[in-house]
Each structure stands twice: as C-alpha cells, then as structure tokens.
Amino acid sequence: MESTVTRDGTKAVLQAGGDIVSTTVPGLRPVLRDLLQEGVRELVLDLGEARMVDSSGIGLLMAAHNSLEKVGGTLTVVHASPEIRELFTAMRLNQHLTVADD
Amino acid sequence: MHERDDALLGEFLAECREHLADIENDLLTIEEGGADIDEQLVNKVFRAAHSIKGGAGFFNLVKIQELGHRTENVLDMVRSREMIPAPEVVNILLLAFDRLREMINRHQESNGEDISEIMVALSGLASSFLPPEEKASISQEVVIAAPDLPGEIKVSEFDLVRARREGCYIYLLQVDLIHDVQRRGKTPLDVMKALLDCGSILDAQVDLASAGTLEDEPTNELVLRVLYASVVDPTVMAVLVEIPTERIRVLEEPASAFSADEQDTETASAACLVPMGTTRASGPMACPVPTGSTTTTTPRARPAPVGTTTATASPMTTAPPPLPTSDASAPVARPRASRRASTETTAADGGTLTGGGDATVRVQVGLLDTLMNLAGELVLGRNQLNEAIGRGDLHSIRAGGQRLNLVTSELQEAVMFTRMQPIGNLFGKFPRLVRDLSRELGKDIHLELNGRDVELDKTLIEGLSDPLTHMVRNAVDHGVESPGERTAQGKPAGGTVRLQASHQAGQVVVEIADDGKGIDPEKIANAALSRELITREQMQVMSDADKRALVFLPGLSTAEKVSDVSGRGVGMDVVKTNLDRLGGQVEIDSVAGRGTTFRIKLPLTLAIIPSLLVSVGEERFAIPQINVSELIRITAGQIRERIEVVGDAEVLVLRNTLIPVVELSVLLGLDSEAAADPRRMRDRRADQGSDLKVVVVSAGAFLYGLVVEELHDSLEIVVKPLGRHLKGLREYAGATILGDGRVSLILDAAGLAGVAGLSSMAGSDRARELALEAQREESAENHAFLVFDNGPEERCAVPLSLVTRVERIAAERIEWMGGRRTMQYRGASLPLVTLADAGAGMELGSDRELVVIVFHLGGNEIGLVAAMPVDVIETSAAVDTVTLRRPGISGSAIIRDRTTLALDVHELVESAWPGWAVESPGAEEALAGGEGPLLLLAEDSDFFRAQVKSYLEGGGYRVAAAEDGEAAWEQLEKLGNAVSLVVTDIEMPRLNGLELTRRIRADLRFAAIPVIALSSLAGEDDVSRARELGVDVYQVKIDREHLLESVRSLLGEAALAA
C-alpha cells in the first residue's frame, strides 16, 4: 500500500491508498506533518482506497484537524465509502472536517 | 455484534412475538375507540413497534427495523392525535404487524424481504396526515448542559421531544475510542452502528483536545461524547457499548406515565422505569429490548438477596455497576410478575431460534420455588431411603418409599403446572380473525370471549389452535347469516360468536357458539346420502343429532359443493381428527334458526394420564382411563347368555344394548392360532372354561368390548411417544415404562376400533337402532310371539297369530319321504320344514325334545320342527330387519335379553318346499270373510304382510293380501269396487307400490280409492314423489296405531265424499 501526494501550491491531495488504521497511521502521520510544515493549508484526504477507519485513524484525522485549525487551514475528506461517511456523520466529525463527494 | 449470544436473539424474538400477540386486539380496540384515543393503549402498541425496531437494529435485521420504524411513525401520529385510527389506518397497521410477524418468524431471511409495498402504504398514511406545524420544531434547538461537560451540547428540539415521547432514556455516553474500542478489537463503526441500531444519536462530540496535533505523539485516549436517546435501559447500555458504567450517565429517564401504564397493561415494554442505580440482575436473558423478561422481574417479585442474583448473573453483565444496589423491597415490583403468573411462552433456547418460539416457558417464581423445595425433598427422601437400605431396616425403607411417593406426586403436580397456559393466549387471535372475515363477508359479527383464564396443558393449547380456528371461521362464514337475512328473520342484524372455556368435572370444555341459522340435519343427511356416505335406510332412522354429526365424516366435508348445501363442513373431519388426537370429544347442539354450539371436551393434560393396565399373555397394555367406560367380568356360566354370536362377530349384551366385542389378542395378532380362526370365540363359549374379562371401551361416539386376559391396576402413566418408525401403528397411542422397568404399549381406543373394522358409523348404527327401539317401545304395542329354540344357540320367534298349533313329538315320528320330512298329522301327511332345510339355521340336535309348530299357509298346513322350550312372549321389541336378514329370517329382535331370530314362515317354506305355497291367500277367501270394509294389502315380505294383515283384521277390516303390486292389481281387477282402500309397500318385485298407485289413479274405476303407502323409505323425495302419484298417506312400517288411524280417517273421508 502506497500513499501518494499530489501538490498544487498550498493544496495537497493525499491518496491514502488503503485503510486508515492503527497499522497505517504511523506511516501517514509523518507524511501529513511534513505536508503541513511545507505550507499546505488545504489538505484533501482521498479515502477512495480505504475500507476502514479505526480509532487510530479517527485520532489521526482529529490531530490533522487540530494542526490545520491552528494555522487556519482546512481538512477535506473525499471518496469516502458509505460506511465511513456514516461513521463520520454519526460521530459528527463532519462538523469539523468537510466530507465531500470528490 | 454477531457473536452476541444467540440466546439474546432468541429472547428478542420471543419478546417480539409477545408484543405481536396482543397487538391485534389492541389495534382493534383502538379502531373501535376512533377519535377517542385510549392513550395508554396506543402507547403500548407504539412501544411494541418501537421495541421491535430497536431490537431488530441491534441484531442487524434491517428490514424489520425499517418496517418497525415506519409503523412506529404512524402510531406516533395516532398517539399525538394527528391521525385518527380509522379502519383503513388500522388495516394498514394490522398488515404492517402481520408483515413484522412473518419476518420475525423467518428472521434469517428477513433482510432479503421486499417490504416496499407496505412501506409505501405506511408512509402514505403518514404524509397524508402530517400537519404543517410539525416541521417547525425541527429547526429549534435546545442546549443541554451538564456540569462536567466541557462544552455544551445542542440538540434539535424535535429530536428531544420525540425521544421523550418515545419513552427514551437520554444518555450521555463517554466513549474512549482507544481503550473502549481499539483495545477491545472493535472499530468506531461497530460502536456507532450499535448505537444507531438501538436508538438515536442526538449529538456527538469528539474531544478534540484529547486528539492532540500531528506534532504530538499519538494519544492513548480519544474521547467521544455521545448524547444518546434510547429505550434501552442502563444495564443493557453497558453491554451495548461496552464502556464502564460510570461513563454512562442517564440525563433523563422516561416519563413517569409509563409506570401507571405499566400497571394497567399486561404486556408493556417499559423496563425503562428502572433508574440507573438499580442492579437488575441481567441474567442470561438480559435483553437489548426494554421489555421486562422473566429474569428481570424475578428478583423483584421475590425479595431475594440481591447479592445472590448478581452473583449468578451471566457473563453478559460485564461490569456490574458500582452503584447502590437493588430496590428489592421498593414498590417497583410489577404487577405483571404476578398477573402473568404461571406461564407464557417466550422463545427459544439458544440452539433453535428458527422454531416457532415455543421452546421456553415462563414460570411463576412461586412455582419455581415449590419445585426447588420438592427437589430438595426428593433428595432427602433418597438419602433416607439409601440409608435405610444400607441398614436393611425394612420399616425405614417403607417410610422412605412412602415419602418418595408423596413427594413425587406433589412434584408431578407442580411440574404439570409449569406446562399450563391460559387458553386466553389462544383466544387472543380470534378478534382479528372474526373482524377480517366478517368484513370480507359483509357481516356484522361480535365476538365474545369468556373464560380466558382457564388453563390447559400447552401441548393441548397448541393442538387446539387449528381446530378452533376452523370452527370459528365456520361460525362466521356459514353459521351467522348476512345482516339482511337476519333482519328478515327478526333477528338483530349483528351476529354473535361466542367462545367460552370452562372447567367441568376435571375436563376443560370449550364452546364455540353462534346465533346463526343452525345446522339443518336434513340438508346434511341428504348431502351425505348423495355422496353415498350413508344409505337411505340409515338416514331414515337417524336422529337429528346423528345427522348433524355427519358433518365430521371425511367425504362430506372435502367436497365444496356440499359445504354450500350443508352450510358447514369444509375440513370438519380434520377438526375431528385433531380433537381425537388430543383425546377430546366434540358435540354439536343446534337449533334451526337460533344457532349452533360446538362443544369440545378436553382432558387437562396429556403428558401423564391415569390408565388401566390389562394383559394378554406376557404382554401388558395400558388403556387410558378416559376411554374406559366399564369393566365387566362374565363368569363362565354366564358367557352363553351375555355373548351372542351374530354371523362371524360377537356382540355383548350390555343392559339391553348390543356392543361389538373383539378379542385383544386376536386384534393385535398375539395369538396366531386364534387369528387364523375367527370362530374361536364360539368354541370358547362352548367350552366355557374360564371367566371372560371385558373392558368396555369408548372410542369417541361408540362403545365396544375388548376381551383381555387379565385386568390389573389403574395407574398414572407417563406417556412416551412412539418412535417415528412405529408411527404408522394405529393401534397404539404411545408407550410407557412400568414400575418394573418393562415397556408397555398404550392402546388407542379409536385406532383399535378402526383396525377391528368397527367404525364410528357402525357405532352410530347401533345407537340409531337403540334409539329406534326406544321409539318403538314408546309407540308400539306388545305383540305376541311364539318363541322356541332351534339349535342350542338359536332362539327363534314367529308371530303367534300365524301359528295354528304346537305339537310335541318324538323324533321317530318324523318320516323321510322323497328327501323331505313329513309327519302323520290328523290323518294326513303334514309337510315339515326345519330351519336347516331352508339354509336359515342349524341342524336340530337329535337329543332334543322336539315340537312341531303348525302354520296355516295359503290354505294348507305345514309344520316347522323346533326344539323345546317353547314359550309365548308378549313383547314390544322392534324387529331389526337389516342385520340378520336372510332367506327365511325376516330379522332379529332382542327378546328377554336374547337375540332372537324372527322367522318369515312363508319364505322358509318357499325355500324348503319350492312351489308348495305359491297359492297365496286368495281374494275369495278374503271376500268370504263377510263384514267390514275390504282392504287390499300389497306387501312382498311375508312377515310384514302377516303382521299388517293381522293389524288390519284386528281393526275390523277384511283384508285381501297380495305379495306384490302385480298380484294386487290382478286382485283389484277381480274385486273391483269392493276394495275400499289399498295399503301398499313401495319396494316390491314385478310392480312396485308407486307404479301400482299410478295404475290405480290412472284407471277411472279405481281412481277414488285411497292409497296408503307403507315403506321403510322415507326420504323427502320419496314422500313427495309418492304424493304426486296419488298416495294419500305415506307411512313407515309397523306402526299399528298409526296405520289404523290413517285407514279410519281415509275411509271416513271417502265415505263423506261419496
């Protein structure tokens, strides 16, 4: 599973390439951190390949949200599966991050 | 979720069924109330839908959940008076609940069901009633603040109000996504789904601070706060979300209205009442739906130490709340704990969840205690006995045995109680059935249910369900007339069907009564006749009750056409079979135009039955006491008198009635020798070696005697079903294990009768004969018979009026002339006959004292050789002209408790001396008689001809007799107008009575002569046809008074006319 990043100025799209779970979060966390440090303010997380987001994944998303909020940036999630959307809705995460169709 | 115990699912399904069981009637009551809403009732139904929805969500039964939800919405609108429960609304709701029930019964496939139709119907209802102001509250928000809450939580007012209205708890849950979720190998999605399934998430907040930032090390705590509304009670919540109970906070409990409601309604689901601080021993049945389950009520109904209860709680209670325990003494104990009392089926032991949901039984706690005590007693008893046996102390052993005996009886009784269920459970489904059916048929029918509390063994309740349904259907469909018909008859337009259960003499009696048109016995009988289920002769002598009972005949009921005619009967034979299987009996009472009552009598239980033990050879058999009518021991000397041989069959004379007798060993093939020789009974009668033991067994409608070798004790036996491979044996109802460990088969009285070829119709034949006999006894006069013996066992009788003389003779006086017997008598040769000559009876023994009975026939004399003793008996006994009829024997009668053959002398002579008596009593002879009106009698049976002739002559008439219609016509031509009246049989050779009548009426010379028809045929058709042809009076045979009266009145009329 490879995550890929597409940069466009201060906007970056991170293709998660798989689930956002405890096994993948340690690898994703530095990538996100680096992106922020590189000045990305508009972060788009593409969950097209993700079937699952676990507690660590939520923790990562929230941490990214917190970091971005500090610098006035935004976090958007795209291509989330219906289940993941349902989860975000139930947890009201959509109040903090944008869940978009694409 | 999936690993969650199947037991939980089973419990949920059981709860659902329980809810659904009452719902129909509640809905119907709601419908009746119309706009005047009984809130508690609507609440009850609402909560039922709600619980089903909630539970279904929990188990991921999405379709059930969806439908439950939609149904709930509609009910909510009814409850809030936005929708009036008009019939069409209730209809859709009923359908929805039907659908729910179906899906619950097949819950595994339910997710694949297509429920769009009913969903659309429901939402159609909802949208057509939705008021505009409803939308307003959606936008309103309420802020919920809690002291230890970092932020405030905003909830839409609509959601909150709705949650409150639904009787929800409002929880604040704090879920640590790391510890409570991740570390338990779950995902947040699992948790959220579980929550969504059992309630609604009003709001949720992730504690952002606990998540840290990307720069921080990953936190090991991530808190999610959820404001959650659910009917699920706090104990279950802990299981549902698997978080420590201290992080489950109840912000609001359901409104107190529920407690009042709860006391009024039996079902109710509001377990919500219990505050968080209560330990509810969530035993194995701890249920996600908030309906009180037995275990949850248990600790409350009984002031048991709570510590015990929680200690035994199942692993489900993962975290017993560290909160003040129990309100064992608090007045929360629900009335239902006692009201519901003894039993109520709920579902399923863990394994078989797909079944009908009857695998478990609710048992009253008090009863369980009793059982426990008794079990304790049993152990003590065993110890006592063991010790006594060890010491070899006979006295103590006896005492121990006695004790065990006592305890066992009590234990048995107590256990039986656990199987008892109120019949109300069964009755409950009928209001819906009656409503739907009567609507469909356009009838207005009120259903009355009485005696719901009467308790019956649950197997009986189950077995009764189908027959009862059928009978109620019949009552509605065929029994009660349409409103139009009813009004036309001056009855109220609305009909009533009444179901009633009561205890009577150790039995349960269930009545299904309607006030409809009643069962017309004639219609039934004609229908049976047209299907050739009964013969015309049978029909003619049947009582009305017998005719009505014909509805239970298989052939009658399956034909649709007949059910139109008869009004009843589709599948009534199945009803009867089912009831027979339950050991029940059914009777019909019906008054034309007033209604019909079916009465079912049932034993209280089937599992343990008192039985009589009998034996044949080495084998012992049990006969259920309910089938045993009486026991008869016939001493060796009496066998001859009590057992009669009729053809190849034996009958027992039992207080003036005859009942068939069969030998058990022969019937069961235990005695191969006897089986090969059916006439063995006769031999035994002859050898008279030993007493005969007869069990008179009742098989439904009739009795028969079962000859056994030994009669033993009466015993309570435990019925064990036969294995499947033995199911085909009709003779046995099951098996039991006797005290000595041997297996004994239980005889099936009805089955045995079937195997022996004794059908219930035969029984009713007998009954009819008896009824007929009784009738005749009332109306008939005594007739004089000359009674004599033929063979040692053959008693015969001839009407005394036919006898000229009786001569005692020595055997040597009988001479053989050309192969025939004759005798010198008064200077001439008197021809002699014996019954044996005519093939009508046995040879006379040569050792007997003989007599010759001289008859005057056709102008000649003939002698019948018979044996002493000869006696003249005045009797009113009816002659049965069917059973033993053969040439020379016109029938049989029971005279002085003996079956006696009534001889037809004419036939007898005819067969012994063919052609001898051709010359019948001639017209000249009759004319020569002189005074009195001359009657012409046409009758082919000599017996009857002689009888009728003697009646008429006794009435002062002259009689010209003819043996058939043709002969009568000849005589009429000869006698002309001298004949004042014709009495004719209908069935005759050559020219029958009807043709004779036609000829008479067609001939101007005789057209005015009155005609009386005598016949055993009395179908309505026959009578009307005879009338059309010109018969003046149609009369059943041998009723002397009637006949003379008819003759008198017809002659009187004729005289007046002339």
Side-chain angles (χ1 to χ4, degrees), chain B residues 807-872:
Chain B
E807 295 275 333
R808 253 176 103 155
I809 59 159
E812 307 86 74
R813 282 184 63 192
I814 299 176
E815 299 166 5
W816 281 84
M817 299 270 292
R820 287 178 178 170
R821 291 184 179 88
T822 57
M823 179 183 102
Q824 300 288 329
Y825 178 66
R826 292 186 181 178
S829 182
L830 178 71
L832 296 179
V833 290
T834 62
L835 259 62
D837 293 343
M842 300 181 196
E843 284 289 348
L844 285 165
S846 55
D847 54 338
R848 316 274 305 220
E849 279 189 89
L850 298 182
V851 293
V852 168
I853 302 163
V854 183
F855 300 96
H856 190 87
L857 283 179
N860 295 305
E861 284 187 322
I862 191 161
L864 174 69
V865 185
M868 287 290 275
V870 174
D871 199 358
V872 173

Side-chain angles (χ1 to χ4, degrees), chain A residues 22 29 32-33 52-56 59-60 62-67 70 83 86-87 90-93 95-96, chain B residues 177-178 181-182 187-189 192-193 196 201-204 206 208 211-218 222 224:
Chain A
S22 54
R29 186 176 277 265
L32 289 172
R33 190 170 52 210
M52 200 167 138
V53 177
D54 74 355
S55 297
S56 308
L60 177 68
M62 289 301 94
H65 166 262
N66 285 346
S67 297
K70 276 189 191 167
E83 275 207 330
E86 191 187 343
L87 173 67
M91 292 179 73
R92 306 294 194 265
L93 290 185
Q95 291 174 355
H96 309 297
Chain B
L177 291 179
I178 304 297
V181 182
Q182 190 129 334
T187 69
L189 189 62
M192 296 325 271
K193 273 198 166 162
L196 284 171
I201 295 172
L202 302 180
D203 196 15
V206 179
L208 292 174
T213 63
L214 291 171
E215 278 75 29
D216 302 327
E217 276 307 296
L222 183 62
L224 173 72

Side-chain angles (χ1 to χ4, degrees), chain B residues 46-186:
Chain B
F46 175 85
R47 277 197 316 274
H50 187 73
S51 316
I52 291 169
K53 176 192 86 171
F58 186 84
F59 292 105
N60 203 28
L61 303 168
V62 290
K63 287 291 163 74
I64 297 177
Q65 185 191 9
E66 280 173 30
L67 183 55
H69 184 76
R70 202 63 72 84
T71 311
E72 179 192 344
N73 283 347
V74 170
L75 283 164
D76 187 32
M77 295 177 78
V78 172
R79 186 170 62 170
S80 55
R81 295 172 199 276
E82 288 156 26
M83 187 186 288
I84 292 163
E88 55 273 23
V89 174
V90 172
N91 256 352
I92 292 177
L93 284 172
L94 283 171
L95 286 175
F97 279 110
D98 283 349
R99 207 57 209 276
L100 279 173
R101 185 180 297 112
E102 265 168 45
M103 290 202 287
I104 283 161
N105 285 339
R106 290 178 294 115
H107 60 94
Q108 279 146 336
E109 297 106 66
S110 72
N111 282 359
E113 293 270 325
D114 174 18
I115 53 169
S116 51
E117 200 176 314
I118 184 73
M119 292 293 278
V120 168
L122 284 169
S123 55
L125 269 188
S127 61
S128 62
F129 280 91
L130 193 70
E133 64 267 25
E134 183 75 0
K135 288 145 193 158
S137 65
I138 295 173
S139 50
Q140 303 275 335
E141 285 205 329
V142 181
V143 174
I144 289 186
D148 54 345
L149 220 56
E152 55 188 26
I153 295 180
K154 282 184 188 159
V155 198
S156 116
E157 187 186 3
F158 178 74
D159 287 348
L160 194 63
V161 167
R162 191 189 152 104
R164 281 176 185 150
R165 208 156 60 186
E166 286 174 1
C168 286
Y169 288 84
I170 311 282
Y171 291 100
L172 177 64
L173 309 172
Q174 301 199 49
V175 186
D176 181 344
L177 291 179
I178 304 297
H179 290 98
D180 301 333
V181 182
Q182 190 129 334
R183 300 267 159 92
R184 289 178 197 272
K186 299 201 292 184

Side-chain angles (χ1 to χ4, degrees), chain B residues 57 277 490 576 845 977:
Chain B
K576 176 98 168 69
N977 280 331

